Amino acid sequence: MSTTSLPASARTPRLREALIAAAFTADGLLERLGAPAYAALARSETVPALRATRGDAPLDTLVRLFLLQRPVPAARAAAALPLEECLEDGWVRREGGDLVSATVDVRPYGGPEGQDWFIVSDLGCAVGGAGGIGSHEEGVVLGVGGASTTLAGITVRRPVASALDVGTGSGIQALHAAQHATRVTATDVNPRALEFTRLTLALSDAAPADLREGSLFEPVGTDTYDLIVSNPPFVISPGARLTYRDGGMGGDDLCRILVQQAGDRLNEGGYAQFLANWQHVQGEEWQDRVRAWVPSGCDAWIVQREVQDITQYAELWLRDSGDHRTDPAVYAQRYEAWLDEFEARGTKAVGFGWITLRKSAAAGAGQPSIVAEEWPHAVEQPLGPAVEEHFARQDYLRAHDDAALLAAHFTLAEEVVQEQVGLPGAEDPEHVVLRQNRGMRRATKVDAVGAGFAGVCDGSLPAGRILDAIAQLMAEDPVLLRDRTPQAIRLLVEEGFLEPLRDGTTLR
């Protein structure tokens, strides 16, 4: 990999035109390589892609040059892109024997509305790229990976005046934000990352961002934003060897400080969305630990997606840095250092997940909604709309007591199905499950009343009238049924199975 000076961005429109003309795009790659070779690239396996690009078409040349990072004949490069300009601007360099090679990784990336984007990063540092992960040097900048696309998918994408990307890296979050924010600010402690963000935005034909060097919120002072996003260096490690992943603070302090300080940088109604790691400490519930990070004046939705014990966690990140390829004694010494760090902090495991904050008047008045949950199951991306719906439901429930719920009208959410579980041939099921096929794809057990209630919610009758009818069918006391059911209705609304109607329309 290279940490030399980066290309100039002044003539990126001509390079972009050449890349698109050759179909060096996300769709073009899939069609040229085929699904198996395309998938193999994500596993850092390049042989299938090399076999698929043995021809001399411009697309074959560009794949080998920028994606697989193999030298190509200068004549073939000249047929695929404006070679002299790319040599002058530093995108490629001459090698011996009339060959040219790339100086940076250029990776096609499909935007949410079919845009042809390109993520620029250091050679060998695109996750799943030619070099794979491992043996990274201090200061290098990685390309787009699973964490980046996860954050992009969960981010709320409403039009806003201002957005901030903290720890921008190669600029993927800033690129997404540029599509719906009038003004985008991107920060990074690594000045090299800011230059890569400039290249990514320029080559993707996106508006330039306000690029500022510094740690966390220090570069923006007291400025406030409608949207803040960050895929920070969240790895809990003994030290700060690698800027792109190690926060350089003790334990999970970097993530804690990032979340705590975000509240003062949000405008009313604004969102802050982060990926984070947090410690599981002996004698402490992880939910309590992360809830304590939420700043005053903010609602929060915290979702733990994965938990690893300390040995799994240490091994994952030792492989990431290539330590497993070093001398066995050195590897063992570094492994010990990770375990020493965890032992000193009482850490038994590490959680990974998403944290979303929303600045709200209700939270500012001392009534915050803070939901911390574990959800390791498959979800449907993009989840940005589901995030907005979550907070809208919290607002609704906060404003409606049990009596108001019974007077309200509800509809069953789209794509909710009912599953009955029990022994074959049994007259009644052991239990009924409602399952979503969109968004978080939740599933929840309900009793006969809950199943019957959800099944007839079409918005025409208030909840109380529906319960009265169910009570008559089941020969139950309607007063008792009205008394005990609102909590179940509240849960079905909170988890998105039922949608309240307002003026004849749902909250969505």
Side-chain angles (χ1 to χ4, degrees):
M1 72 194 66
S2 170
T3 54
T4 58
S5 59
L6 298 183
S9 59
R11 291 188 284 193
T12 50
R14 279 178 50 81
L15 174 57
R16 174 180 169 81
E17 289 173 9
L19 299 179
I20 292 176
F24 187 64
T25 63
D27 289 341
L29 283 182
L30 180 59
E31 182 176 349
R32 183 68 184 90
L33 301 181
Y38 193 76
L41 276 179
R43 303 189 299 270
S44 301
E45 296 291 347
T46 60
V47 172
L50 284 167
R51 290 174 60 84
T53 55
R54 288 178 292 190
D56 57 3
L59 179 55
D60 298 323
T61 300
L62 293 174
V63 170
R64 285 181 167 250
L65 182 64
F66 286 121
L67 206 59
L68 304 178
Q69 291 148 25
R70 298 295 199 276
V72 300
R76 286 182 56 182
L81 46 75
L83 181 58
E84 292 307 316
E85 287 183 10
C86 288
L87 285 166
E88 277 185 44
D89 292 345
W91 291 93
V92 298
R93 61 179 168 233
R94 292 196 182 275
E95 303 282 355
D98 198 30
L99 297 174
V100 296
S101 62
T103 62
V104 291
D105 184 293
V106 178
R107 186 156 301 260
Y109 180 82
E113 297 178 1
Q115 302 101 319
D116 291 319
W117 290 345
F118 301 93
I119 311 301
V120 189
S121 63
D122 269 310
L123 293 175
C125 292
V127 177
I133 301 179
S135 302
H136 289 331
E137 299 171 8
E138 172 65 18
V140 299
V141 177
L142 269 63
V144 63
S148 303
T149 55
T150 293
L151 179 58
I154 68 173
T155 299
V156 173
R157 296 296 174 196
R158 57 180 184 163
V160 294
S162 57
L164 171 65
D165 177 14
V166 179
T168 187
S170 56
I172 178 63
Q173 308 306 326
L175 176 58
H176 276 279
Q179 311 308 305
H180 62 102
T182 303
R183 174 173 57 89
V184 177
T185 302
T187 72
D188 206 290
V189 70
N190 182 2
R192 189 176 180 80
L194 299 177
E195 290 305 309
F196 271 117
T197 294
R198 191 189 312 278
L199 293 173
T200 289
L201 293 173
L203 196 56
S204 299
D205 194 29
D210 178 7
L211 305 176
R212 304 188 190 184
E213 182 181 347
S215 177
L216 300 179
F217 294 107
E218 180 272 329
V220 301
T222 59
D223 293 351
T224 58
Y225 301 86
D226 302 311
L227 173 67
I228 298 171
V229 293
S230 183
N231 176 18
F234 52 65
V235 177
I236 300 171
S237 60
R241 288 173 57 203
L242 301 172
T243 303
Y244 72 87
R245 70 166 205 193
D246 300 325
M249 299 184 186
D252 50 20
D253 280 357
L254 183 136
C255 291
R256 173 182 59 80
I257 292 171
L258 180 64
V259 173
Q260 288 178 335
Q261 293 184 352
D264 290 336
R265 272 77 179 185
L266 278 178
N267 294 326
E268 186 68 22
Y271 287 88
Q273 300 186 259
F274 314 101
L275 301 185
N277 276 186
W278 43 79
Q279 298 169 155
H280 284 226
V281 178
Q282 187 72 31
E284 176 186 62
E285 295 294 331
W286 74 265
Q287 294 94 332
D288 295 337
R289 182 181 190 85
V290 186
R291 279 194 190 103
W293 298 358
V294 178
S296 62
C298 289
D299 300 318
W301 187 17
I302 302 157
V303 182
Q304 180 166 272
R305 295 288 288 158
E306 184 180 0
V307 180
Q308 290 185 319
D309 67 49
I310 56 174
T311 59
Q312 292 173 311
Y313 190 81
E315 290 161 13
L316 169 66
W317 295 109
L318 286 167
R319 287 194 301 272
D320 169 83
S321 55
D323 289 314
H324 62 305
R325 300 193 187 107
T326 63
D327 179 88
V330 174
Y331 175 78
Q333 184 180 27
R334 289 179 173 169
Y335 200 151
E336 287 275 7
W338 283 73
L339 298 184
D340 288 343
E341 173 78 7
F342 291 134
E343 183 178 345
R345 296 183 177 277
T347 304
K348 303 302 179 185
V350 177
F352 168 81
W354 319 322
I355 299 175
T356 299
L357 307 177
R358 185 192 59 164
K359 195 78 169 278
S360 79
Q367 293 181 305
S369 164
I370 302 177
V371 176
E373 61 176 320
E374 186 160 12
W375 190 253
H377 312 293
V379 299
E380 180 191 48
Q381 287 276 33
L383 269 174
V387 172
E388 279 195 283
E389 291 165 14
H390 167 88
F391 287 99
R393 293 193 299 267
Q394 295 300 317
D395 287 343
Y396 177 88
L397 292 171
R398 200 159 33 189
H400 289 73
D401 60 15
D402 288 354
L405 284 181
L406 292 175
H409 295 242
F410 300 93
T411 61
L412 188 66
E414 295 177 4
E415 297 188 48
V416 172
V417 297
Q418 175 180 302
E419 300 174 357
Q420 297 187 163
V421 180
L423 294 173
E427 184 175 346
D428 296 312
E430 293 179 11
H431 59 262
V432 175
V433 174
L434 299 181
R435 187 178 301 277
Q436 302 169 351
N437 286 316
R438 56 179 294 273
M440 292 291 284
R441 293 180 174 167
R442 296 186 186 276
T444 188
K445 288 183 183 180
V446 292
D447 59 13
V449 172
F453 181 86
V456 298
C457 277
D458 61 3
S460 61
L461 292 174
R465 290 274 301 280
I466 294 174
L467 290 178
D468 291 344
I470 291 175
Q472 186 174 3
L473 286 172
M474 301 182 68
E476 290 204 30
D477 185 330
V479 175
L480 293 178
L481 194 61
R482 277 175 171 255
D483 185 56
R484 76 169 194 258
T485 306
Q487 187 56 38
I489 296 174
R490 193 172 293 274
L491 179 63
L492 290 174
V493 172
E494 181 175 359
E495 294 192 341
F497 290 95
L498 294 179
E499 297 183 346
L501 289 181
R502 283 181 178 171
D503 301 324
T505 60
T506 63
L507 294 180
R508 202 183 311 168

